[in-house]
Amino acid sequence: MLAASVTSFSPDSPLDGLEVGDAPEPVDREHWVTVDVRAASLNHHDLWSLRGVGLRRQQLPMVLGTDAAGVAPDGTEVVVHGVIGADGHGVGPRERRTLLSEHYPGTLAERVAVPAANLIPKPAGLSFEEAACLPVSWLTAYSMLFTAGGLAPGDSVLIQGAGGGVSTAAVLLGVAAGLEVFVTSRSEEKRERALSLGVAAALPPGERLPHRVDVVLESVGQATWGHSVRSVRPGGTITVCGATSGDASPAELTRLFFQEIRVQGVTMGSRDDLAALVNFVSRHDVKPLIDSDHRLRDTSEAMARLLTGTQFGKVVITT
Ligand SMILES: NC(=O)c1ccc[n+]([C@@H]2O[C@H](COP(=O)([O-])OP(=O)(O)OC[C@H]3O[C@@H](n4cnc5c(N)ncnc54)[C@H](OP(=O)(O)O)[C@@H]3O)[C@@H](O)[C@H]2O)c1
């Protein structure tokens, strides 16, 4: 089958180790099913894998891709939860938690095998392309806002880096939930696009907000951390899921303890959280924002778009 794999690591030039070509068919395992992938979306995780983060050399080649929507063997249209081993279904209780493409082959392929328990029916109102955006970026944004952030209608939130997959998901979910949403972005064009999605204000990185917010969503890291700490209200929460620009430094510990700020790490969410997200988007008629759609054989071109950071929304691959 056709698949996009990492064949070597290249921290400075990650696309060098990407190969689209023939890969082995998925292996049959008890309680696992093989899904015909119709669409998958790219995540920054794929770039980290190409850079050699989270994978060992002896695991190569490894099929990339962490989320997908497709068709199960019984003909059901499904969304694939990409976390394996979190609850033991289909792998046994001792299996450590991994994401597809970290231990088992990923979703940037014509077919992918996953535990049957990882499948969730695809909502009829979403295309395969839209549904493929949900299991990683959208689930992470949902967890950051509502589970870790505990936000309720009328609360305020700052989302750093408006254009990313996680950030655009958080903007659309936050606006639908009645939050007062602020964003920052390096690009004026992206700030304007965020305004058109209903945010209260879109600011250049580091600019002071009209008031401090209940929760900050931090995925950028070093480039925005200081601003995040200064923008959250005393007793508020910063939810952190990533550090695209590098690890935060300095941590600003004095401000953290004096203002009693809570810092909460987030890594995606459970299968039940994904089911709740699917219900939320169906009920509120929220559609994932797709930046661009590429064929599997053109994964290199799609990955280049993610690498340049020019995207606004999700970069999607169709098989
Ligand atoms: N923990 C988890 O479960 C989880 C899940 C998903 C993602 N993540 C992590 O979260 C981060 C974002 O993921 P993503 O998929 O949303 O990535 P993405 O689509 O590539 O978005 C990255 C965004 O970061 C913003 N950014 C702002 N300043 C930056 C700078 N100095 N350098 C680079 N980027 C900058 C950019 O927004 P502007 O151009 O608008 O400024 C860019 O759009 C990644 O590090 C990823 O690994 C973690």
Side-chain angles (χ1 to χ4, degrees):
M1 65 170 181
L2 191 66
S5 306
V6 47
T7 56
S8 64
F9 301 136
S10 185
D12 299 327
S13 181
L15 301 191
D16 290 356
L18 174 68
E19 247 179 61
V20 182
D22 202 33
E25 287 289 337
V27 175
D28 276 338
R29 291 186 180 84
E30 202 182 1
H31 308 305
W32 286 52
V33 290
T34 296
V35 174
D36 264 332
V37 176
R38 296 297 163 86
S41 86
L42 297 190
N43 289 285
H44 220 88
H45 185 280
D46 302 306
L47 288 175
W48 294 125
S49 299
L50 288 160
R51 289 188 165 112
V53 178
L55 281 175
R56 280 168 288 119
R57 222 167 280 282
Q58 52 273 37
Q59 293 177 278
L60 302 183
M62 174 64 84
V63 178
L64 291 164
T66 50
D67 51 22
V71 180
D74 66 358
T76 315
E77 297 186 348
V78 292
V79 181
V80 175
H81 184 225
V83 184
I84 310 292
D87 52 14
H89 290 296
V91 286
R94 283 167 206 243
E95 173 120 358
R96 72 183 174 93
R97 182 183 66 174
T98 58
L99 194 53
L100 285 172
S101 81
E102 289 177 350
H103 183 63
Y104 299 100
T107 56
L108 289 179
E110 290 175 297
R111 285 169 287 285
V112 65
V114 290
N118 281 46
L119 302 185
I120 287 175
K122 176 177 89 61
L126 293 188
S127 65
F128 283 112
E129 289 82 350
E130 289 164 340
C133 300
L134 298 178
V136 176
S137 304
W138 275 67
L139 179 56
T140 303
Y142 181 87
S143 300
M144 292 174 90
L145 291 168
F146 305 122
T147 318
L151 286 165
D155 289 344
S156 55
V157 63
L158 166 65
I159 299 162
Q160 300 283 17
V166 173
S167 300
T168 49
V171 165
L172 289 168
L173 289 170
V175 169
L179 305 178
E180 184 186 21
V181 179
F182 299 102
V183 298
T184 64
S185 176
R186 297 166 295 175
S187 142
E188 191 179 344
E189 190 195 329
K190 289 187 190 181
R191 293 196 294 271
E192 272 166 24
R193 291 195 65 183
L195 284 170
S196 75
L197 298 178
V199 305
L203 307 163
E207 194 160 294
R208 196 186 177 118
L209 304 182
H211 62 82
R212 287 195 276 177
V213 293
D214 298 302
V215 172
V216 177
L217 266 57
E218 178 58 82
S219 68
V220 178
Q222 200 172 84
T224 52
W225 179 254
H227 183 244
S228 294
V229 176
R230 290 192 302 280
S231 300
V232 69
R233 68 163 167 80
T237 302
I238 305 175
T239 57
V240 188
C241 80
T244 308
S245 62
D247 211 336
S249 160
E252 311 223 17
L253 292 177
T254 306
R255 191 178 274 266
L256 287 183
F257 70 71
F258 199 67
Q259 304 269 341
E260 299 186 323
I261 294 164
R262 193 164 70 102
V263 177
Q264 177 65 57
V266 172
T267 290
M268 287 163 297
S270 67
R271 182 206 178 276
D272 288 348
D273 294 329
L274 179 58
L277 165 64
V278 166
N279 281 339
F280 183 99
V281 296
S282 301
R283 208 170 298 128
H284 292 273
D285 198 22
V286 178
K287 301 235 189 285
L289 201 152
I290 294 177
D291 166 80
S292 51
D293 191 354
H294 310 254
R295 298 310 306 258
L296 180 56
R297 62 174 172 273
D298 302 323
T299 299
S300 209
E301 164 196 301
M303 208 74 87
R305 186 151 178 83
L306 203 65
L307 188 61
T308 56
T310 47
Q311 80 279 16
F312 191 84
K314 293 291 292 173
V315 177
V316 171
I317 300 289
T318 45
T319 51

